[in-house]
Amino acid sequence: MERRNFIKKATLTGVGLAVGTSLSRCTDVKNQSNQQQNLTKGPTAICTWRFTKANAVAGKALMQGKSALDAAIEGVQVEEDNLKNTTVGKGGAPDRDGNVTLDACVMNPKGDCGAVACVENITHVAALARKVMEETPHVMLAGKGAEDFAYSQGFKKEELLTQSSKSAWQTWKKSSKYNPIINIENHDTIGMLTLDEKGDIAGACSTSGLSYKMRGRVGDSPIIGAGLFIDNQVGGAVATGMGEEVLKTVGSFLIVELMRNGKTPQEACEEAIARIVNKNQQYKAFQIAYIAMDKQGNTGAYCIHEGFTYMKYQNGENIAISPDYYYHPKS
Ligand code: ASP
């Protein structure tokens, strides 16, 4: 990656707070980690995209002394219940045949994990992934088996296709070609990383996947190591965006391993994006973003295109951060 060619940009925005800076890339990363080292870090929650409420719910749960995993699942559920969010939970966009199928995974500080893929009729799939982790000898359940397991655990059967998602799908069906819009149509997976007051890290990831995907398609989000990875000795990482590309590079595991080997969360996210763009000439056509956090509560993020934001709750403050990005078209 040609770091010198990057347009240098970092923005921090929060409620009542807006700070914009233009710094060189290297200075930017160095300053960021210096600032972070000086912070008194307490319980911390970060999540993909501008899911302000979800992140605040997780952050406040951590402040009340809840465990990292409890807080992550509580936070993610805010979006699973949000009917206006068309890429997570109830209200998610359907596949091309009109079925809403959800994917999720969770990972706890002990390194245990649970996942569900291609599940229909269940809203709280991150909580279901936790049940797979805690109540079965398996890591992942898919399709009808996952759905039946949900009922056995007391989850309700629910209609996930809302009228507005149905109308949008019907309009899509009439169009001749599927051409997703970067950052808008199909990239709103909620991935959350939480650091609790004991210093333990956990994570959760929940999505309806790409809008109008093929029936049965599963992306990165429920795949441990791709969509999410936690190592409680090192930190965690989570992905959003074109899942096929994250799967090919096992992106979240890669980031945690890079941090283990001394990279900051920011540097590790940049390297993981570099692995993708260096291998795939088509990278201008899709978005991928990673967020990462280490054991001290230092965080980082990087993405291919402008337009990605992540939320960070720390020291009682919930701020939106727009990280730098790889691809800068010449104007
Ligand atoms: N990563 C998700 C998937 O490929 C999509 C997204 O983040 O919106 O299923």
Side-chain angles (χ1 to χ4, degrees), residues 6-310:
F6 291 174
I7 294 171
K8 329 298 184 207
K9 184 176 171 195
T11 39
L12 254 185
T13 53
V15 186
L17 169 76
V19 183
T21 50
S22 285
L23 299 166
S24 84
R25 169 104 298 273
C26 294
T27 319
D28 180 18
V29 171
K30 210 161 94 201
N31 281 352
Q32 194 184 1
S33 51
N34 285 346
Q35 279 165 11
Q36 286 171 335
Q37 273 157 21
N38 292 335
L39 280 176
T40 312
K41 298 180 195 76
T44 304
I46 60 174
C47 77
T48 53
W49 302 105
R50 199 180 275 268
F51 295 131
T52 313
K53 185 174 166 204
N55 206 55
V57 164
K60 285 176 190 156
L62 292 169
M63 297 300 275
Q64 288 161 9
K66 292 197 180 165
S67 75
L69 185 63
D70 284 342
I73 290 175
E74 263 185 52
V76 160
Q77 266 181 21
V78 171
E79 288 307 319
E80 290 176 338
D81 286 329
N82 178 1
L83 298 182
K84 292 198 178 131
N85 184 339
T86 57
T87 57
V88 180
K90 201 192 248 186
D95 64 18
R96 56 190 57 189
D97 301 326
N99 312 290
V100 181
T101 63
L102 305 181
D103 302 328
C105 71
V106 297
M107 205 158 171
N108 74 12
K110 287 195 276 183
D112 299 324
C113 39
V116 291
C118 216
V119 187
E120 294 176 56
N121 303 313
I122 304 293
T123 301
H124 294 152
V125 278
L128 180 59
R130 180 188 196 157
K131 289 285 185 192
V132 173
M133 174 175 81
E134 293 177 348
E135 306 297 336
T136 80
H138 306 304
V139 165
M140 179 182 269
L141 294 178
K144 191 74 174 67
E147 188 182 337
D148 289 346
F149 172 67
Y151 301 137
S152 78
Q153 294 295 312
F155 287 72
K156 276 193 311 210
K157 180 168 185 162
E158 291 183 85
E159 175 55 76
L160 303 182
L161 186 64
T162 56
Q163 196 46 53
S164 67
S165 288
K166 189 173 177 184
S167 306
W169 165 64
Q170 283 165 337
T171 305
W172 170 80
K173 276 210 297 183
K174 287 188 206 130
S175 66
S176 54
K177 194 172 171 229
Y178 176 40
N179 198 9
I181 306 163
I182 286 174
N183 287 321
I184 297 175
E185 191 176 290
N186 59 6
H187 296 294
D188 285 352
T189 292
I190 183 160
M192 183 171 280
L193 303 172
T194 44
L195 175 69
D196 65 24
E197 63 180 17
K198 293 189 191 138
D200 288 329
I201 295 191
C205 189
S206 184
T207 192
S208 54
L210 297 185
S211 314
Y212 318 132
K213 60 197 175 185
M214 288 177 70
R215 175 108 175 111
R217 180 265 186 193
V218 174
D220 61 311
S221 303
I223 307 297
I224 298 296
L228 170 73
F229 196 72
I230 304 289
D231 183 322
N232 199 37
Q233 289 188 321
V234 178
V238 70
T240 180
M242 188 60 77
E244 282 72 5
E245 300 304 316
V246 176
L247 282 165
K248 288 181 207 167
T249 49
V250 200
S252 294
F253 180 73
L254 171 65
I255 290 170
V256 173
E257 286 308 294
L258 289 166
M259 292 195 291
R260 187 195 307 283
N261 287 300
K263 295 222 188 265
T264 63
Q266 181 62 37
E267 289 166 343
C269 289
E270 291 184 15
E271 172 68 27
I273 291 290
R275 297 276 175 106
I276 291 168
V277 300
N278 289 342
K279 278 187 192 153
N280 191 329
Q281 307 274 312
Q282 306 302 316
Y283 71 85
K284 291 174 195 167
F286 56 80
Q287 171 71 307
I288 290 175
Y290 290 112
I291 62 173
M293 175 159 66
D294 68 16
K295 279 289 279 181
Q296 288 72 47
N298 298 311
T299 63
Y302 203 57
C303 46
I304 299 178
H305 299 279
E306 187 176 18
F308 172 68
T309 299
Y310 77 102

